[in-house]
Amino acid sequence: VPYFDGDNGGFRHLRFNGPDATDTGGGLVDAGGTKMDPVHGSTVVTYAFEPGSACTGQDERIFGISEDRGSAFGQLQVRGVTGDHTLSVMWNGVGTVYRYALSGGCNLTSASVVHWVIDTSEPTDSDRIRAYIGGVRQTVTVQTGAWPSPGATIDLGAVGTRKMYVGRPYSGIATLKGRIWYVALYLGEMSDSCAWPAPTTATPSR
């Protein structure tokens, strides 16, 4: 199971200690009727997190909100998918999850501050889904589905079924091996001109 660890500079973080891509557990809480509700129906969201390890190249869950497992359910999550680092989104009225990936696969080679930014008001398709590693914008491609249409809104499913999680959300679903320094979800947009700090596992500013 994951646990809070105080080594690696003495700063507490969540550590997943099992083999790569195994059912090693995770934190799961009800998200319906909470501050997460405005994410449903939103057109602008920023995911921010700092994993303390490189990609494993396996199918793994990192951080998200969903109403159930599977591509037919409302969700917004960051995950690894066999060599890719991806953002999975259910758009209202679509009925299936669309997935966006870093071009060239997962290039996280060490602890990194990662941001995924959604803003469906942007006029250019590729600007509606953006990713940054250490403040540097990455090339994002459509892995399944399509770019969101202008004004598309996020679908998290029914209020009473929404769960927020770090690591494995459901039994039998893999989680990452390594550390997570922090995760956050903002109802706002990060601009290209915004300078985000580079991470440091020795003295994380979290």
Side-chain angles (χ1 to χ4, degrees):
V1 297
Y3 61 94
F4 282 104
D5 194 354
D7 66 7
N8 209 332
F11 294 88
R12 287 170 63 79
H13 55 276
L14 195 60
R15 185 169 184 178
F16 298 82
N17 219 22
D20 294 349
T22 57
D23 187 1
T24 54
L28 180 70
V29 296
D30 290 330
T34 71
K35 292 180 179 179
M36 296 297 104
D37 283 355
V39 176
H40 178 79
S42 177
T43 61
V44 181
V45 165
T46 296
Y47 255 136
F49 58 99
E50 184 175 342
S53 59
C55 294
T56 64
Q58 306 292 334
D59 187 3
E60 57 195 17
R61 304 302 190 272
I62 300 174
F63 176 40
I65 304 174
S66 68
E67 64 171 329
D68 207 334
R69 60 191 300 175
S71 61
F73 295 96
Q75 62 185 267
L76 175 65
Q77 70 169 344
V78 177
R79 59 182 289 193
V81 184
T82 316
D84 288 323
H85 180 81
T86 71
L87 176 73
S88 298
V89 187
M90 172 74 84
W91 302 108
N92 273 308
V94 172
T96 189
V97 169
Y98 286 3
R99 189 178 296 149
Y100 309 94
L102 298 181
S103 178
C106 184
N107 55 0
L108 299 180
T109 57
S110 61
S112 305
V113 175
V114 181
H115 294 86
W116 281 94
V117 180
I118 296 172
D119 183 357
T120 62
S121 70
E122 292 284 353
T124 303
D125 287 352
S126 58
D127 286 341
R128 295 177 198 142
I129 303 288
R130 306 196 304 275
Y132 301 80
I133 298 177
V136 178
R137 186 169 175 177
Q138 309 294 305
T139 301
V140 175
T141 61
V142 176
Q143 190 177 69
T144 60
W147 295 111
S149 59
T153 58
I154 297 167
D155 182 2
L156 294 181
V159 173
T161 59
R162 297 173 194 159
K163 307 287 185 181
M164 183 171 65
Y165 50 87
V166 178
R168 181 210 74 192
Y170 304 104
S171 179
I173 289 181
T175 190
L176 75 164
K177 177 184 179 181
R179 311 169 191 267
I180 293 181
W181 294 103
Y182 85 102
V183 293
L185 181 60
Y186 302 97
L187 281 174
E189 178 184 3
M190 181 185 108
S191 67
D192 285 347
S193 61
C194 185
W196 293 83
T200 166
T201 56
T203 55
S205 56
R206 315 291 173 236

